[in-house]
């Protein structure tokens, strides 16, 4: 794995790196599914929308030039999936509103861009934690996720995993550094 932030994009642009495409798919397919659902796509349409996005990415990635002044890769993804959802909804025509779904939507009042950002980070974190899990023993990983992800107190985690606070702080620091290293190696536009 390369240490440069654009490494995954560069590897899939080469189109010969099947491993990179599997890695890309493992990160972005779940992300696109979640965002399509958040944009209002019907469950039966989500896989078609996501597959259309993945096909478009494959077709256009070789010409994609990362330029922060023009736009980021994630903005391109967000726009692509949102447009596909809107097109799918337009093809379906008007659908009677579900009162419960309408109430939930009104309560949330989250902009699509904000929802995409939330999903972007959650899916990257899920993927990277899976990669970290393979690099440390189960007890260390569980203590890290309990304290950092689930936000359990130092006292709770130390008691549960029979650790000293100093050991837990070291686990937290190492795990955070590993997560940061993993994320930096694959996210295209974050420091």
């Amino acid at each position: 794995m390369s240490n440069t932030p654009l490494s995954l994009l560069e590897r899939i642009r080469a189109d010969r790196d099947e491993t990179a495409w599997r890695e890309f798919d493992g990160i972005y397919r779940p992300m696109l599914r979640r965002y399509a659902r958040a944009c209002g796509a019907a469950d039966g349409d989500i896989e078609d929308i996501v597959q259309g996005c993945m096909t478009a990415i494959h077709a256009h990635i070789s010409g994609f030039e990362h330029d922060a002044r023009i736009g980021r890769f994630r903005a391109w993804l967000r726009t692509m999936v949102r447009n596909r959802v809107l097109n799918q909804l337009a093809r379906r025509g008007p659908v009677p509103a579900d009162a419960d779904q309408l109430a939930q939507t009104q309560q949330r009042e989250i902009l699509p861009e904000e929802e995409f950002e939330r999903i972007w980070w959650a899916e990257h974190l899920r993927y990277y934690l899976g990669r970290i899990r393979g690099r440390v023993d189960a007890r260390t990983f569980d203590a890290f996720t309990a304290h950092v992800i689930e936000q359990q107190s130092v006292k709770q985690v130390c008691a549960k995993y029979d650790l000293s606070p100093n050991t837990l702080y070291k686990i937290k620091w190492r795990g955070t550094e590993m997560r940061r290293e993993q994320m930096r190696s694959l996210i295209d536009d974050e420091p």
Side-chain angles (χ1 to χ4, degrees):
M1 182 171 66
S2 172
N3 290 327
T4 61
L6 289 174
S7 63
L8 183 58
L9 288 180
E10 292 301 320
R11 287 169 44 214
I12 66 170
R13 284 183 66 189
D15 199 41
R16 292 178 297 275
D17 192 338
E18 196 172 307
T19 303
W21 275 106
R22 278 194 302 273
E23 192 171 6
F24 183 88
D25 192 79
I27 297 169
Y28 292 99
R29 187 174 294 271
M31 180 186 305
L32 296 174
R33 271 191 206 108
R34 286 181 61 188
Y35 188 60
R37 183 171 288 114
C39 288
D43 287 343
D45 295 333
I46 290 175
E47 283 307 314
D48 289 340
I49 290 166
V50 171
Q51 188 56 42
C53 289
M54 296 301 280
T55 301
I57 291 165
H58 190 269
H60 298 289
I61 196 68
S62 64
F64 182 83
E65 293 294 329
H66 182 266
D67 185 342
R69 293 172 298 163
I70 296 169
R72 295 178 171 171
F73 177 72
R74 70 173 136 172
W76 182 54
L77 284 180
R78 182 183 65 233
T79 301
M80 181 175 23
V81 75
R82 182 144 174 78
N83 287 344
R84 287 180 182 276
V85 168
L86 292 173
N87 290 340
Q88 190 74 4
L89 293 173
R91 280 193 290 277
R92 286 181 162 243
V95 176
D98 177 332
D100 290 336
Q101 188 177 22
L102 183 59
Q104 288 174 355
T105 302
Q106 289 173 338
Q107 287 174 350
R108 284 190 330 167
E109 294 184 28
I110 296 175
L111 297 173
E113 293 82 12
E114 292 170 347
E115 184 67 4
F116 185 83
E117 287 296 312
R118 188 186 67 72
I119 292 168
W120 172 275
W121 288 109
E123 284 300 321
H124 278 85
L125 181 60
R126 177 198 58 80
Y127 182 81
Y128 301 128
L129 286 175
R131 291 176 64 118
I132 291 170
R133 178 187 299 265
R135 294 175 57 188
V136 299
D137 66 81
R139 181 171 165 249
T140 299
F141 182 81
D142 291 345
F144 174 79
T145 56
H147 183 57
V148 175
I149 306 302
E150 298 166 13
Q151 298 183 351
Q152 294 178 20
S153 71
V154 171
K155 186 176 179 179
Q156 288 173 306
V157 175
C158 287
K160 184 175 183 177
Y161 296 99
D162 192 29
L163 300 169
S164 71
N166 190 40
T167 301
L168 181 58
Y169 291 131
K170 287 179 184 177
I171 289 170
K172 178 182 176 181
W173 181 82
R174 284 189 207 122
T176 301
E177 285 301 306
M178 289 172 72
R179 180 191 55 84
R180 190 173 293 132
E181 171 193 318
Q182 291 289 313
M183 292 183 86
R184 197 176 353 214
S185 71
L186 295 175
I187 295 176
D188 68 307
D189 53 5
E190 294 303 321

